Amino acid sequence: MPVLLIIILATLIVSLLSLVGILFLKLSDTKLDKILFYLIGLSAGALMGGAFLHLIPESLHLLNCEKSLIYVLLGFILFFLIEKILHWRHCHNIKCTIHTFTYMNLIGDAVHNFIDGLIIATSFIVDFKLGLITTLAIILHEIPQEIGDFGVLIYGGLTKKKALMYNLITALTAIMGGLVGFFLAQQVENFVSLLLPIAGGGFIYIAACDLIPEIKKETNLRKSILNLLILILGILILYGVKFIAPH
């Protein structure tokens, strides 16, 4: 089977993971609201784990430490500027409007999925088995992240159907990344070396400045502790991927 077709199939499978939110479509708004904070905690943990355990460490293999961290800071600042441009307005009612962090999460997810596509493509070009291992690793860390992302989009004010649609649209950037990686195989490493830490900085910004402050609004001690444990679980899942199928 041609490598290009394999890359397209692998990135398509990864993209379709964004539809995992279908599992929550039949839940009533009341029941879904009860788990939204926990989904946000899982997403925050996955974003932090993805940034500190995957994106940034990988960038350190491609860039020296100082350059990598500079790009992480640039990514953090870039996402801050994007949020300012989108004119975020605080809302005390969960359903009253679409929060800007919803769009921020979509932007970060699109970049992340694009990078996933690049990594899948380059790994298959280097070695078929490496491509399979890389795709498996990405699938394992995409599942908890996509579940969390669905919760974030609902919490931000989107309907369930729109959340699924937007999640799928951003996930399809993985296919774009795969195609770019295939046709620019000789140059893609330098491209990825810049995008990895920038995306990492963006993930840290979303988790630390938007999602975690939302979690802190919970005043019930038992629920707060449970949400903290779920956040840690999100980090641990991403950490476990390093041992199951490192990429």
Side-chain angles (χ1 to χ4, degrees), residues 203-222:
F203 279 16
I204 294 170
Y205 179 86
I206 295 169
C209 298
D210 288 325
L211 301 184
I212 292 178
E214 294 298 318
I215 296 172
K216 289 173 62 178
K217 292 179 181 179
E218 178 59 63
T219 57
N220 182 282
L221 180 59
R222 184 182 65 82

Side-chain angles (χ1 to χ4, degrees), residues 9 17 48 78 96 99 171 182 191 198-200 237:
L9 289 175
L17 290 175
M48 297 292 280
L78 176 62
C96 69
H99 289 282
F182 178 78
F191 189 41
I198 290 175
I237 290 174

Side-chain angles (χ1 to χ4, degrees), residues 37-51:
F37 274 103
Y38 303 124
L39 290 177
I40 292 171
L42 184 66
S43 181
L47 286 171
M48 297 292 280

Side-chain angles (χ1 to χ4, degrees), residues 28-237:
S28 65
D29 289 343
T30 301
K31 290 183 179 179
L32 186 56
D33 284 343
K34 291 181 179 180
I35 65 172
L36 282 180
F37 274 103
Y38 303 124
L39 290 177
I40 292 171
L42 184 66
S43 181
L47 286 171
M48 297 292 280
F52 287 107
L53 302 176
H54 292 274
L55 297 178
I56 296 175
E58 188 67 26
S59 74
L60 291 173
H61 290 296
L62 303 175
L63 300 169
N64 64 50
C65 182
E66 183 177 356
K67 284 185 178 180
S68 180
L69 294 180
I70 287 175
Y71 282 119
V72 170
L73 289 173
L74 287 176
F76 191 95
I77 294 171
L78 176 62
F79 276 68
F80 170 76
L81 291 175
I82 292 173
E83 187 172 58
K84 282 297 183 181
I85 292 173
L86 292 175
H87 299 294
W88 181 77
R89 295 180 181 179
H90 181 70
C91 176
H92 294 284
N93 183 344
I94 290 178
K95 300 297 183 182
C96 69
T97 188
I98 298 178
H99 289 282
T100 298
F101 70 71
T102 302
Y103 299 113
M104 298 295 294
N105 189 74
L106 289 172
I107 293 171
D109 203 30
V111 173
H112 179 207
N113 290 324
F114 184 81
I115 293 173
D116 283 346
L118 288 174
I119 296 173
I120 288 173
T122 53
S123 62
F124 272 116
I125 291 171
V126 173
D127 180 72
F128 178 75
K129 290 183 179 180
L130 177 61
L132 290 179
I133 293 173
T134 300
T135 302
L136 174 61
I138 289 175
I139 287 174
L140 289 174
H141 83 70
E142 277 297 310
I143 291 175
Q145 180 172 312
E146 293 297 346
I147 294 174
D149 284 343
F150 179 74
V152 169
L153 297 180
I154 296 295
Y155 180 78
L158 296 180
T159 64
K160 296 173 185 176
K161 291 183 179 180
K162 284 187 176 181
L164 281 175
M165 180 182 69
Y166 289 158
N167 234 15
L168 177 60
I169 291 173
T170 58
L172 292 175
T173 58
I175 299 177
M176 295 174 56
L179 294 174
V180 170
F182 178 78
F183 289 109
L184 300 178
Q186 301 302 317
Q187 304 174 27
V188 72
E189 182 175 346
N190 292 331
F191 189 41
V192 172
S193 69
L194 298 179
L195 282 183
L196 284 175
I198 290 175
F203 279 16
I204 294 170
Y205 179 86
I206 295 169
C209 298
D210 288 325
L211 301 184
I212 292 178
E214 294 298 318
I215 296 172
K216 289 173 62 178
K217 292 179 181 179
E218 178 59 63
T219 57
N220 182 282
L221 180 59
R222 184 182 65 82
K223 291 182 180 179
S224 295
I225 293 175
L226 179 58
N227 211 349
L228 174 61
L229 293 176
I230 292 175
L231 184 150
I232 294 174
L233 175 63
I235 296 174
L236 291 176
I237 290 174

